[in-house]
């Protein structure tokens, strides 16, 4: 973002005037205030800040205000949108601005700051992903003098001095930055005669914009990584191998799925990584038991060797792997618990994490004791309190060793992930985590903070590309009103914890921060929901439009012919078991008038062999009848209604009169696509800035699905990077996205974990394959039936050459570049099937990372693509140098604490480079 400092003439004064000027459109009743660190600007008390005045200039609304300050004045400042009482409505994103008046500035000048409203994008270079990883080498640049030298013939009267400012982080030591232009003073487009700019610190130079930085990354779930030393599943320490491969392949980023503990059910259902038992605890599945001790008994070593052989399967055996690791870890814990738990390293870890660690350990103990995570079944422990917690984790408790075992596991997980994270930083590789939208309803978080969740609801998504029937994830929705009372402390703590390991993160289902698809807790599918928050259709509104028969519209519309069509000759038996006759239709009996009740009754009937057909088919058909409605009545206010998603697809709608159809179609369109936009924008601007300001990680939002119009402008304002998947274009008139037209603030990818891989997608639909081959690849020939390496190369190159800031590829798609890695059926490489709520997340790469490291041809192919696209890639020499410095720093620090010499920094003389 550029600032133009404009100095205009003024009469001789003892002080300098500073005029703030910014273009920004506000709504009625809103104003702009500039507030800063100095008393003149309110000392960060917005109510005491400088209120600006508006004036229209052409198409812009310009806000300005002036203050008098001493000639060597300095201050931080930011702009805020306030109401008439100066209550803050929102503020600009990014870092605080810095104002420094050089001592040589002449009195009598007015400094006019022509600012642009800062969006979150302006602060991206200061996120730890860039500051501490990509551009960390630039921290050694020398800050130059802030002197302003005026020419002898400078006349303040009527003269203008322009100061160019630019945030330019991607500049190496020894490089100079120049401004060139058509005027003589700017070198007439000759670099050697241009204006050389000085470095003022914090990546700030005086220049105009350079080409935007772009990078590439690889995505793979932690559990999918395979190495020669792992125990049946990818482990945190395997990330070091993955980072090495990433560096040698030209990738600046490694992206993972969530890595939190999901041990809710004690079975393979827990393989679902988005259903957290705790949003703070790491998953014991990723522990490397071999690294727990240097003094491991031989019998345990033999047990590990045998387990490695037994668990080295095609896919992850979740239950066996976790049980084996915990069993081995328990034996090592018994041997070493005293030395570990009494160490200073553990005490430091415990003191920094006890707020979540103690409740987590207590929860795990109670879960195993009561043999359920459903804390409503825990008797007196169902309701959490700090007094009960302290008794549970007391050193005097008989089960204290069990509590300490959970501490011990989390401590070692922290050490192992921290080691991998530091290794990635030193190698110039960003480690990108994943922030799930929900938590399991039987989790530590819902036990400790039940007021933060709407426990009688469930979270999901309306019908979209992933599932035409919608999704029901089973998580309780958030009580945002309650969360706001402590400024979203729970969210802030989550992000702080993530920031210990990651320098970037993906916000899962970012649409949920605008509005969430909320379902009743008795729903099993995801169709009959409503958005929260949302403005409903009121009974008065509907009655004005001539809609009045609300029972007809809100109750399942079941006619005799529907039953005959679905159940054939068995319809009478089904009707007698589940339905009552009601006028000329049928209605569901009270013991089966919800999806969960239908499922329970069907299960009972199946156990007694009373079903004429398969249980699954009858359940599916009964669910369809139950969802045959037009409006959903609000359970909290019976005079409010919500249009059922895709209501025109129902026979209930088709049997209405034309007037009712037209009215309901119009109101449906208004509810889903118009009336909520302002509300959803305001909701996102309350919550998302809190997340973004809780850490300096780089934030990316998963913005796939049914996208409201307000989403992309808000993401742009907040500096959130969106996601573009070619097969799911956001443009309604396109079947396939066009990577060359993606905006810069995006991550582009050919596939993701929630859909089939590039190979599987290519093979699963012949007609679509023909259309893609013709319209995207520009060929009228018959496309190959398999996704050959040439096809994969074309699609990957498309994405690497896109303008997107990041091009991130699933490892499976990259392996499609070589025929030898395509021996496994493509469908087996899929990570998740969103249409199946009980999908087993168990995919493992069928080759080890060590084997991929030896494949020079694959690494060279990928790196050549990245290098040729102009994207940044880690320098092997620089990565080795960084890692060497990191290792040396650690060694010297240890030596220093042992009484040795302090650490010093060595400089290397380099030839000056020029950056224009």
């Amino acid at each position: 973002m550029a600032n133009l400092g404009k100095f205009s003439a003024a009469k001789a004064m003892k002080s300098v005037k500073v005029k703030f000027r910014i273009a920004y459109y506000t709504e009625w009743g809103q104003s702009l205030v500039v507030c800063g660190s100095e008393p003149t600007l309110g000392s960060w008390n917005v109510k005491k800040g400088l209120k600006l005045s508006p004036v229209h200039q052409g198409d812009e609304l310009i806000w300005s205000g002036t203050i008098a300050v001493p000639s060597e004045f300095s201050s931080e400042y930011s702009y805020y949108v306030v109401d008439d009482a100066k209550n803050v409505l929102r503020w600009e994103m990014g870092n605080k601005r810095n104002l420094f008046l050089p001592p040589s500035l002449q009195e009598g000048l007015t400094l006019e700051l022509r600012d642009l409203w800062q969006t979150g994008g302006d602060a991206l270079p200061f996120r730890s992903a860039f500051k501490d990883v990509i551009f960390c080498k630039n921290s050694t640049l020398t800050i130059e003098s802030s002197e302003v030298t005026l020419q002898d013939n400078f006349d303040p009267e009527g003269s203008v001095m322009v100061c160019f400012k630019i945030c330019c982080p991607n500049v190496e030591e020894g490089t100079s930055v120049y401004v060139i232009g058509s005027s003589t003073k700017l070198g007439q487009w000759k670099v050697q005669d241009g204006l050389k700019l000085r470095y003022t610190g914090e990546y700030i130079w005086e220049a105009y914009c350079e080409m935007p930085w772009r990078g590439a990354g690889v995505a793979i779930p932690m559990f999918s990584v395979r190495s020669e030393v792992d125990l049946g599943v990818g482990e945190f320490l395997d990330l070091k191998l993955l980072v090495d491969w990433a560096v040698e392949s030209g990738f600046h980023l490694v992206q993972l799925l969530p890595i939190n503990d999901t041990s809710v059910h004690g079975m393979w259902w827990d393989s679902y990584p988005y259903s957290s038992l705790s949003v703070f605890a790491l998953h014991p599945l990723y522990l490397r038991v071999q690294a727990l001790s240097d003094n491991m008994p031989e019998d345990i070593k033999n047990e590990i060797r045998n387990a490695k052989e037994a668990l080295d399967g095609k896919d992850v055996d979740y239950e066996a792997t976790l049980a084996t690791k915990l069993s081995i870890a328990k034996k090592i814990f018994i041997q070493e618990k005293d030395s570990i738990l009494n160490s200073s390293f553990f005490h430091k870890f415990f003191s920094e994490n006890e707020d979540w660690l103690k409740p987590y350990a207590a929860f795990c103990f109670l879960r195993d004791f009561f043999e359920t995570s459903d804390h409503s079944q825990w008797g007196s422990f169902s309701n959490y309190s700090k007094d009960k917690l302290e008794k549970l984790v007391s050193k005097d408790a008989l089960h204290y060793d069990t509590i300490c075992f959970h501490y011990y596991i989390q401590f070692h997980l922290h050490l192992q992930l921290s080691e991998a994270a530091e290794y990635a930083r030193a190698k110039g590789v960003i480690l990108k985590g994943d922030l799930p939208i929900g938590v399991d309803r039987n989790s530590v978080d819902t036990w400790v903070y039940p007021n933060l969740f709407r426990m009688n609801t469930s979270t999901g998504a309306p019908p979209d590309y992933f599932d035409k029937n919608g999704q029901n994830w089973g998580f309780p929705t958030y009580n945002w009103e309650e969360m706001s009372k402590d400024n979203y402390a729970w969210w802030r703590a989550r992000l702080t914890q993530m920031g210990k390991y990651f320098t970037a993160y993906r916000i899962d289902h970012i649409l949920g921060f605008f509005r969430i698809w909320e379902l009743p807790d008795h729903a099993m599918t995801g169709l009959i929901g409503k958005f929260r928050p949302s403005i409903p259709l009121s009974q008065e509104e509907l009655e004005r439009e001539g809609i009045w028969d609300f029972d007809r519209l809100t109750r399942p519309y079941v006619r005799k012919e529907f039953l005959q069509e679905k159940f054939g000759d068995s319809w009478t038996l089904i009707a007698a078991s589940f339905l009552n006759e009601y006028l000329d239709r049928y209605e569901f009996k009270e013991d089966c008038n919800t999806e969960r009740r239908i499922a329970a009754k069907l299960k009972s009937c199946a156990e007694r062999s009373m079903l004429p057909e398969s249980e699954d088919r009858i359940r599916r058909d009964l669910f369809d009848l139950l969802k045959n409605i037009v409006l959903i009545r609000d359970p909290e206010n019976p005079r409010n209604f919500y249009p059922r998603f895709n209501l025109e697809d129902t026979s209930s709608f088709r049997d209405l009169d034309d007037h009712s159809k037209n009215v309901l179609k119009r109101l449906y369109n208004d509810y889903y696509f118009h009336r909520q936009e302002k509300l959803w924008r305001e909701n996102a601007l309350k919550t998302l800035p809190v997340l973004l300001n809780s850490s300096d990680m780089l934030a990316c939002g998963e913005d796939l699905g049914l996208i409201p119009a307000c989403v992309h402008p808000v993401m742009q304002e907040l500096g959130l990077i969106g996601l573009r998947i070619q097969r799911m274009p956001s443009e309604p008139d396109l079947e396939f996205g066009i990577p060359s037209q993606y905006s810069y603030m995006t991550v582009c990818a050919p596939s993701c974990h929630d859909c089939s891989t590039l190979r599987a997608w290519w093979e699963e639909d012949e007609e679509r394959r023909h259309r893609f081959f013709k319209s995207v690849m520009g060929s009228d020939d018959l496309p190959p039936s398999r996704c050959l390496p040439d096809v994969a190369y074309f699609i990957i190159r498309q994405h690497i050459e896109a303008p997107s800031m990041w091009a991130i590829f699933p490892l499976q798609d990259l392996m499609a570049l070589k025929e030898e890695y395509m021996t496994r059926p493509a469908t087996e490489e899929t990570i998740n099937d969103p249409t199946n709520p009980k999908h087993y997340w168990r995919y493992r790469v069928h080759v080890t990372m060590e084997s991929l490291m030896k494949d020079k041809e694959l690494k060279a192919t990928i790196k050549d693509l990245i290098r040729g696209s102009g994207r940044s890639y880690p320098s092997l020499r620089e990565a080795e140098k960084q890692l060497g410095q990191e290792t040396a720093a650690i060694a010297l620090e240890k030596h220093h604490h042992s009484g040795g010499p302090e650490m010093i920094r060595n400089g290397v003389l380099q030839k000056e480079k020029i950056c224009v």
Side-chain angles (χ1 to χ4, degrees):
M1 182 190 72
N3 275 352
L4 300 178
K6 178 180 176 183
F7 295 85
S8 58
K11 296 180 179 179
M13 300 175 64
K14 294 182 179 180
S15 62
V16 175
K17 287 186 178 180
V18 176
K19 181 177 182 180
F20 298 88
R21 180 187 186 277
I22 188 169
Y24 190 84
Y25 271 104
T26 56
E27 298 179 3
W28 181 258
Q30 297 178 349
S31 300
L32 254 62
V33 165
V34 60
C35 185
S37 57
E38 294 299 306
T40 316
L41 291 174
S43 298
W44 294 121
N45 183 342
V46 176
K47 290 185 181 291
K48 295 181 180 180
L50 175 65
K51 190 173 183 179
L52 306 181
S53 302
V55 61
H56 281 280
Q57 290 187 7
D59 294 331
E60 292 183 315
L61 182 62
I62 305 296
W63 294 83
S64 62
T66 304
I67 56 170
V69 298
S71 59
E72 295 185 23
F73 178 77
S74 66
S75 177
E76 293 182 320
Y77 69 97
S78 289
Y79 292 95
Y80 298 80
V81 179
V82 300
D83 59 18
D84 292 334
K86 276 195 173 181
N87 295 312
V88 176
L89 302 176
R90 60 181 167 276
W91 59 94
E92 59 178 349
M93 301 295 294
N95 289 0
K96 306 296 185 188
R97 302 171 186 267
N98 284 296
L99 170 62
F100 296 100
L101 299 188
S104 56
L105 192 64
Q106 292 184 356
E107 287 192 354
L109 291 177
T110 295
L111 170 64
E112 183 174 304
L113 301 173
R114 296 197 173 188
D115 288 323
L116 301 175
W117 181 270
Q118 286 188 152
T119 67
D122 299 310
L124 294 185
F126 303 98
R127 297 289 184 182
S128 59
F130 290 107
K131 182 181 66 175
D132 296 341
V133 181
I134 303 298
F135 305 135
C136 63
K137 59 184 178 295
N138 301 334
S139 60
T140 60
L141 290 171
T142 303
I143 297 176
E144 301 176 37
S145 168
S146 58
E147 287 263 323
V148 174
T149 304
L150 303 178
Q151 296 179 4
D152 292 338
N153 60 354
F154 180 80
D155 179 10
E157 193 69 39
S159 299
V160 174
M161 178 183 292
V162 177
C163 176
F164 296 93
K165 280 191 177 182
I166 186 169
C167 173
C168 202
N170 195 16
V171 175
E172 297 179 356
E173 190 171 2
T175 300
S176 297
V177 182
Y178 284 76
V179 175
I180 59 174
S182 57
S183 71
T184 305
K185 293 180 180 179
L186 293 181
Q188 294 181 319
W189 302 114
K190 295 178 181 178
V191 175
Q192 62 270 25
D193 297 329
L195 175 64
K196 184 178 180 179
L197 304 176
R198 63 185 180 86
Y199 180 62
T200 64
E202 288 292 319
Y203 310 139
I204 301 298
W205 304 69
E206 319 312 82
Y208 56 76
C209 191
E210 63 179 354
M211 288 293 291
W213 185 95
R214 296 183 304 146
V218 58
I220 188 72
M222 189 71 261
F223 58 79
S224 298
V225 176
R226 186 187 293 267
S227 75
E228 293 176 359
V229 296
D230 69 45
L231 215 64
V233 70
E235 299 165 346
F236 288 147
L237 290 176
D238 289 327
L239 288 172
K240 296 169 75 172
L241 276 174
L242 184 56
V243 165
D244 286 340
W245 183 83
V247 169
E248 294 189 20
S249 301
F251 291 122
H252 259 309
L253 182 146
V254 168
Q255 177 172 324
L256 304 176
L257 294 187
I259 53 172
N260 295 110
D261 192 355
T262 58
S263 307
V264 175
H265 304 284
M267 58 179 295
W268 65 263
W269 288 359
D270 297 335
S271 67
Y272 180 29
Y274 288 89
S275 188
S276 305
L277 176 83
S278 165
V279 298
F280 300 101
L282 299 171
H283 206 310
L285 188 70
Y286 305 127
L287 183 72
R288 175 158 296 166
V289 293
Q290 300 96 310
L292 292 179
S293 174
D294 292 330
N295 304 306
M296 201 171 293
E298 197 60 36
D299 61 329
I300 295 180
K301 290 181 180 179
N302 289 332
E303 185 178 355
I304 292 173
R305 281 192 288 268
N306 294 335
K308 176 170 172 32
E309 185 177 344
L311 295 171
D312 191 24
K314 181 181 70 172
D315 299 308
V316 177
D317 186 336
Y318 181 90
E319 296 172 28
T321 301
L322 183 59
T324 300
K325 289 194 173 194
L326 291 177
S327 173
I328 294 171
K330 192 70 170 282
K331 295 173 184 176
I332 302 172
F333 166 74
I334 293 170
Q335 174 185 300
E336 300 202 342
K337 62 181 179 182
D338 292 336
S339 61
I340 294 295
L341 299 180
N342 291 322
S343 69
S344 59
F345 295 107
F346 175 78
H347 287 162
K348 182 176 186 294
F349 166 77
F350 186 82
S351 65
E352 292 176 353
N353 295 277
E354 63 178 312
D355 285 347
W356 66 263
L357 187 59
K358 287 160 73 172
Y360 166 77
F363 186 99
C364 291
F365 166 72
L366 292 170
R367 172 201 62 197
D368 298 341
F369 181 82
F370 288 103
E371 298 182 340
T372 179
S373 292
D374 183 356
H375 38 81
S376 68
Q377 307 298 312
W378 290 355
S380 62
F381 294 107
S382 294
N383 297 317
Y384 170 88
S385 73
K386 288 190 176 180
D387 288 341
K388 293 176 185 176
L389 174 66
E390 291 306 321
K391 290 178 182 177
L392 283 166
V393 300
S394 168
K395 293 182 179 179
D396 298 327
L398 293 174
H399 57 266
Y400 185 61
D401 264 10
T402 303
I403 296 293
C404 287
F405 177 64
H406 296 297
Y407 294 163
Y408 172 84
I409 293 294
Q410 289 300 312
F411 173 58
H412 277 285
L413 286 166
H414 163 72
L415 292 180
Q416 293 181 15
L417 181 56
S418 296
E419 180 180 334
E422 288 303 321
Y423 188 85
R425 287 189 184 98
K427 286 270 192 169
V429 173
I430 293 164
L431 203 57
K432 181 180 177 184
D434 198 320
L435 183 74
I437 185 62
V439 301
D440 198 282
R441 65 177 59 251
N442 296 319
S443 65
V444 183
D445 302 279
T446 59
W447 181 50
V448 177
Y449 308 107
N451 57 316
L452 301 185
F453 304 91
R454 294 171 51 81
M455 297 297 291
N456 63 337
T457 66
S458 186
T459 303
D464 57 14
Y465 175 91
F466 298 109
D467 194 335
K468 65 178 182 180
N469 294 312
Q471 299 176 61
N472 185 340
W473 302 321
F475 316 133
T477 57
Y478 294 121
N479 185 343
W480 289 109
E481 294 78 12
E482 193 67 27
M483 287 180 162
S484 68
K485 292 178 181 178
D486 60 3
N487 194 28
Y488 310 96
W490 182 77
W491 282 103
R492 289 186 283 113
R494 284 184 74 178
L495 271 295
T496 300
Q497 187 72 7
M498 280 192 77
K500 294 177 180 179
Y501 312 110
F502 299 104
T503 47
Y505 66 106
R506 166 190 179 271
I507 302 176
D508 175 43
H509 193 64
I510 197 172
L511 304 183
F513 292 89
F514 293 79
R515 82 293 184 271
I516 198 71
W517 187 246
E518 186 176 80
L519 302 147
D521 59 354
H522 56 69
M524 295 177 66
T525 60
L527 187 62
I528 307 301
K530 62 182 176 64
F531 286 123
R532 176 175 289 274
S534 66
I535 303 168
L537 309 178
S538 69
Q539 184 167 326
E540 293 77 12
E541 179 182 9
L542 289 162
E543 287 174 344
R544 284 197 302 270
E545 298 280 2
I547 305 296
W548 55 270
D549 191 352
F550 300 108
D551 280 349
R552 159 71 176 82
L553 297 172
T554 59
R555 291 186 176 185
Y557 182 65
V558 184
R559 299 180 66 87
K560 176 181 176 180
E561 54 267 32
F562 302 165
L563 296 171
Q564 291 173 330
E565 180 182 343
K566 285 187 177 293
F567 303 108
D569 294 339
S570 303
W571 81 268
T572 54
L573 176 61
I574 297 296
S577 301
F578 294 89
L579 301 154
N580 292 322
E581 282 197 71
Y582 174 74
L583 300 177
D584 60 336
R585 302 192 296 274
Y586 289 80
E587 64 177 12
F588 282 89
K589 294 181 178 181
E590 189 172 348
D591 67 344
C592 52
N593 61 359
T594 70
E595 290 180 340
R596 291 203 182 276
R597 289 177 177 177
I598 288 174
K601 189 165 184 176
L602 277 171
K603 185 177 181 180
S604 174
C605 292
E607 289 171 352
R608 290 176 288 160
S609 302
M610 295 175 58
L611 298 179
E613 302 176 43
S614 76
E615 181 182 349
D616 286 347
R617 180 176 177 182
I618 295 174
R619 181 174 58 245
R620 184 173 62 250
D621 288 340
L622 286 173
F623 280 11
D624 284 346
L625 291 173
L626 191 69
K627 292 182 284 193
N628 192 24
I629 60 176
V630 175
L631 296 177
I632 301 168
R633 194 186 293 269
D634 191 330
E636 297 173 8
N637 185 345
R639 295 183 66 82
N640 286 339
F641 302 87
Y642 304 89
R644 182 246 204 228
F645 201 91
N646 289 343
L647 56 79
E648 291 184 59
D649 293 344
T650 67
S651 55
S652 178
F653 178 85
R654 289 193 293 268
D655 282 0
L656 293 173
D657 61 90
D658 288 343
H659 170 75
S660 297
K661 287 180 183 178
N662 291 333
V663 168
L664 289 166
K665 280 195 289 187
R666 176 164 45 82
L667 292 176
Y668 174 93
N669 191 59
D670 180 54
Y671 175 84
Y672 281 104
F673 303 109
H674 297 290
R675 72 166 64 188
Q676 319 295 347
E677 293 294 326
K678 182 179 179 182
L679 173 66
W680 291 345
R681 171 183 165 82
E682 292 173 349
N683 197 52
L685 289 173
K686 288 178 187 174
T687 54
L688 284 173
V690 177
L691 266 71
L692 300 178
N693 292 331
S694 298
S695 79
D696 59 358
M697 291 183 288
L698 181 70
C700 307
E702 182 263 291
D703 52 346
L704 303 176
L706 185 69
I707 311 296
C710 62
V711 169
H712 290 153
V714 168
M715 290 182 67
Q716 183 176 2
E717 180 174 343
L718 299 181
L720 280 160
I721 301 168
L723 177 61
R724 299 294 176 268
I725 306 292
Q726 188 171 28
R727 69 187 76 170
M728 308 175 209
S730 53
E731 301 86 352
D733 57 331
L734 290 179
E735 182 179 13
F736 310 112
I738 305 173
S740 62
Q741 296 180 7
Y742 293 158
S743 64
Y744 175 66
M745 290 291 289
T746 57
V747 171
C748 68
S751 70
C752 66
H753 70 273
D754 272 333
C755 59
S756 53
T757 61
L758 185 56
R759 283 178 59 212
W761 177 80
W762 183 267
E763 295 172 10
E764 66 194 12
D765 188 323
E766 182 180 356
E767 292 184 2
R768 183 182 62 202
R769 182 167 68 237
H770 278 265
R771 295 193 299 272
F772 185 90
F773 202 59
K774 179 178 178 63
S775 63
V776 177
M777 300 184 70
S779 175
D780 291 322
D781 296 338
L782 191 67
S785 59
R786 294 170 59 245
C787 183
L788 300 176
D790 286 347
V791 173
Y793 185 92
F794 177 92
I795 296 172
I796 289 171
R797 188 179 70 178
Q798 261 196 321
H799 288 77
I800 286 180
E801 293 178 350
S804 303
M805 179 189 293
W806 289 102
I808 300 178
F809 303 92
L811 183 58
Q812 306 96 300
D813 290 351
L814 295 168
M815 290 167 65
L817 289 169
K818 286 195 73 173
E819 187 79 37
E820 68 181 82
Y821 297 127
M822 298 168 63
T823 56
R824 189 173 184 175
T827 53
E828 292 183 4
E829 294 183 332
T830 298
I831 293 168
N832 178 37
D833 175 8
T835 65
N836 179 9
K838 294 299 181 186
H839 177 74
Y840 195 169
W841 298 61
R842 63 187 312 197
Y843 166 71
R844 292 188 80 192
V845 179
H846 59 288
V847 294
T848 64
M849 288 309 307
E850 290 87 349
S851 296
L852 288 176
M853 280 294 293
K854 294 174 184 175
D855 191 337
K856 295 181 180 179
E857 182 185 1
L858 178 63
K859 291 188 294 185
T861 298
I862 297 170
K863 191 166 187 177
D864 286 347
L865 278 169
I866 293 172
R867 185 189 289 119
S869 71
R871 290 186 180 273
S872 174
Y873 54 91
S875 163
L876 288 176
R877 186 174 300 172
E878 184 66 32
E880 290 167 3
K881 178 183 173 184
Q882 288 274 14
L883 187 60
Q885 289 175 344
E886 193 83 17
T887 306
I890 293 170
L892 282 168
E893 185 179 8
K894 288 180 178 177
H895 188 50
H896 172 57
H897 289 303
S898 303
E902 293 188 3
M903 182 172 59
I904 61 172
R905 185 186 298 274
N906 294 320
V908 178
L909 184 63
Q910 295 181 339
K911 185 178 179 180
E912 185 184 59
K913 302 172 187 175
I914 291 178
C915 172
V916 180

